[in-house]
Amino acid sequence: MSELSANLPPRRDRFRWLNSLWPWLCAASVALSVLMLAALLTLLAVRGLGHFWPASLEEVTLRSGESFAGQAVREVTLPQQEGDERLYFTGNRDIDGARWRWVAVDEIARRTQPADLIRLERTPWGDFIGRLEAIEQHDQRWEGEAAWQRLNALLALPISQRQDSQLLLTTTNGETLRQPLANVVSAQAPNAMSAWQKVHAWGEGVWRFLSEGPRAANTSGGVWPAIFGTVLMVILMSVMVTPFGVLAAIYLNEIAHQGRLTRFVRIGVRNLAGVPSIVYGVFGLGVFVYGIGGSLDEWFFSDTLPSPTFGTGGLLWASLTLALLTLPVVIVATEEGLARIPEAQREGAVALGATRLEMLTRIVLPMAAPAMLTGVILAIARAAGEVAPLMLVGVAKLAPQMPLDGEFPYLHLERKFMHLGYHLFDTAFHGEDVQAAIPLVYATALLLVLIVLTLNLTAIFLRHYLRRQRGNEC
């Protein structure tokens, strides 16, 4: 046994191959993480932004002789080799009672893409797919190509100037429909469009998605109120949480006696970072909304009771709730930054005659500024995607008024607001047409990721700028 042990290499050399393997494992983990993130963003971009591309329309004739027009969405294979089925978006809910239709592929006799098929986005019945026969305005009538040109010209006018115009439409199975032009949002003839026209139409669709409000129970239209509400809430939350988080970290690291009580408080702060967000929502509802908000209504808005002013969910209480939610993150990040500053910096400032306040404000805090911004970055990343607490303290499915407008006092903290995260949840699970909402869910998710990324990059830029300025001073 001793001879065998003598022939073995030392234990340190025996596992040397494992030491060389660790860098490769770390690199593989980073590469896998990057690939997963790229795959997620690609999926969101393709499914979300592809929704705004003018897809070709088909006129389908079945073996039974029936015909319809629509956009082919996807094709699935039925179980047990029973054939394939294709899903078409047919629109025309006010005529057919449904906007989607599954068709067995074997039942299709012919598929064509006529250039005269059009797609109208309307309110309140959704899309119409068919043909434009004529436009009637006063005693005038336009048909054929002249009708299409007149339609595009009228859609560029305000709604008030097309109240007296009507479209004469026909479906592929011969039914006719009179459509008031005032209820038409947009019109496309995708089969007759060139590649450049489709790109232009895609850009207009993306712009309407970013600049307009939602329609048809959030299954169409844009998300501008949700974008505005999300960014405004995150900014207010950051303004509220940063001073309190920084002051708390300064007290725990620089002022408080480092005894058992301080260690207990520090442990409590770190544990608060793991509390479920819905608990903060319940706290905000009970303390902020009903407690503080109800008291403010009794003191200053008694004339409007029982209708609450601050005693209901609003932008202020949502921002405070998320500030409380992200406060431990800012405290921990700032305290870590303060702990990394060498004691010699503090002792040198005091030795040169600086007071403790001057030492903190002129030496310690500028050096810890990147760590503070790191805490703010983490707080923004968490707060921008939170939904559960906002459902209790102020978010709304549809907010008729923006929290920021031209009326005094301009910023209305008591108003409800829309949020991209809640809009995403509501569109995905509470919409009247889930199939139609799926592309908007992807587009909204991509937009939320980009907004969080933009806010984080802004804070990261400020952090690097402060580091560079600090380096130049030194």
Side-chain angles (χ1 to χ4, degrees):
M1 189 68 179
S2 59
E3 295 179 0
L4 181 61
S5 301
N7 294 330
L8 289 176
R11 181 179 298 271
R12 178 176 55 186
D13 298 332
R14 202 182 308 168
F15 296 100
R16 181 175 296 174
W17 64 272
L18 188 59
N19 295 331
S20 62
L21 185 62
W22 276 113
W24 291 100
L25 290 176
C26 294
S29 300
V30 173
L32 181 61
S33 301
V34 173
L35 288 176
M36 292 175 64
L37 178 59
L40 173 63
L41 293 178
T42 303
L43 175 65
L44 295 178
V46 172
R47 293 289 186 88
L49 298 180
H51 169 68
F52 305 103
W53 184 260
S56 300
L57 300 177
E58 296 182 359
E59 185 174 357
V60 180
T61 303
L62 304 180
R63 297 185 185 278
S64 61
E66 180 187 0
S67 64
F68 66 90
Q71 172 191 341
V73 179
R74 68 175 185 271
E75 189 172 318
V76 297
T77 302
L78 297 176
Q80 312 208 349
Q81 306 299 324
E82 296 180 1
D84 297 335
E85 277 192 343
R86 186 176 293 129
L87 177 63
Y88 282 93
F89 175 75
T90 59
N92 305 349
R93 186 162 61 99
D94 50 340
I95 299 175
D96 301 329
R99 293 187 285 187
W100 302 89
R101 182 168 181 171
W102 284 98
V103 179
V105 176
D106 296 338
E107 295 295 323
I108 298 176
R110 187 178 60 182
R111 296 166 56 195
T112 59
Q113 296 182 357
D116 59 346
L117 281 180
I118 67 170
R119 181 171 182 168
L120 302 180
E121 184 180 354
R122 310 170 298 166
T123 56
W125 293 106
D127 290 4
F128 169 84
I129 297 178
R131 290 180 169 87
L132 174 64
E133 297 296 332
I135 294 181
E136 297 177 351
Q137 186 179 26
H138 301 301
D139 296 332
Q140 294 180 305
R141 180 185 175 95
W142 293 267
E143 297 180 353
E145 184 64 26
W148 178 249
Q149 294 176 0
R150 183 62 180 174
L151 173 59
N152 291 326
L154 290 174
L155 287 177
L157 300 176
I159 296 178
S160 60
Q161 299 183 22
R162 37 189 167 106
Q163 295 287 345
D164 54 352
S165 303
Q166 284 195 339
L167 307 181
L168 182 61
L169 308 171
T170 59
T171 64
T172 54
N173 56 9
E175 296 190 45
T176 61
L177 172 69
R178 284 189 175 274
Q179 173 65 48
L181 187 57
N183 295 336
V184 177
V185 178
S186 64
Q188 291 180 350
N191 295 345
M193 298 171 66
S194 64
W196 169 249
Q197 289 174 330
K198 288 188 176 183
V199 171
H200 184 265
W202 176 84
E204 289 183 343
V206 173
W207 173 250
R208 287 198 302 269
F209 177 72
L210 297 176
S211 61
E212 295 180 357
R215 296 188 301 272
N218 292 342
T219 57
S220 63
V223 292
W224 166 245
I227 297 174
F228 188 85
T230 302
V231 174
L232 182 59
M233 184 208 65
V234 169
I235 292 175
L236 290 176
M237 179 275 302
S238 303
V239 171
M240 293 176 183
V241 73
T242 303
F244 289 102
V246 170
L247 290 176
I250 291 174
Y251 177 79
L252 289 175
N253 195 81
E254 303 290 334
I255 300 175
H257 175 68
Q258 301 302 313
R260 183 176 300 176
L261 179 60
T262 304
R263 289 196 297 270
F264 178 78
V265 172
R266 190 174 285 113
I267 292 173
V269 168
R270 283 164 170 75
N271 287 334
L272 283 175
V275 174
S277 59
I278 190 64
V279 176
Y280 287 96
V282 174
F283 177 85
L285 179 66
V287 176
F288 296 145
V289 178
Y290 294 151
I292 301 177
S295 300
L296 290 176
D297 284 348
E298 292 179 0
W299 296 340
F300 304 105
F301 303 98
S302 58
D303 296 339
T304 62
L305 292 175
S307 178
T309 301
F310 281 94
T312 185
L315 178 63
L316 175 62
W317 307 135
S319 301
L320 280 174
T321 302
L322 289 186
L324 188 65
L325 171 69
T326 56
L327 183 62
V329 177
V330 178
I331 293 176
V332 171
T334 305
E335 194 175 0
E336 291 294 332
L338 292 172
R340 288 196 298 267
I341 299 175
E343 285 296 326
Q345 298 286 344
R346 299 177 176 85
E347 295 172 354
V350 174
L352 292 174
T355 64
R356 189 172 183 82
L357 179 61
E358 291 174 337
M359 179 266 293
L360 288 174
T361 56
R362 298 186 180 183
I363 303 298
V364 176
L365 291 183
M367 296 181 68
M372 299 176 194
L373 285 175
T374 300
V376 175
I377 292 169
L378 297 174
I380 290 174
R382 182 176 183 185
E386 286 291 345
V387 176
L390 298 180
M391 296 171 64
L392 302 177
V393 293
V395 75
K397 176 178 180 178
L398 183 62
Q401 294 178 308
M402 301 284 279
L404 185 64
D405 56 24
E407 299 179 3
F408 185 82
Y410 310 117
L411 179 60
H412 305 275
L413 298 176
E414 77 281 0
R415 289 182 183 175
K416 294 184 180 296
F417 66 101
M418 295 185 66
H419 185 270
L420 278 173
Y422 182 74
H423 181 80
L424 182 67
F425 165 76
D426 181 77
T427 303
F429 297 102
H430 295 159
E432 60 178 10
D433 191 345
V434 178
Q435 186 67 40
I438 289 177
L440 294 180
V441 169
Y442 283 108
T444 306
L446 176 64
L447 183 60
L448 181 59
V449 171
L450 293 179
I451 287 178
V452 174
L453 182 62
T454 302
L455 293 172
N456 286 347
L457 288 177
T458 303
I460 290 172
F461 173 79
L462 291 176
R463 182 178 64 184
H464 284 290
Y465 176 78
L466 291 175
R467 284 177 175 173
R468 191 188 315 163
Q469 291 294 107
R470 190 63 185 174
N472 294 336
E473 293 177 0
C474 295

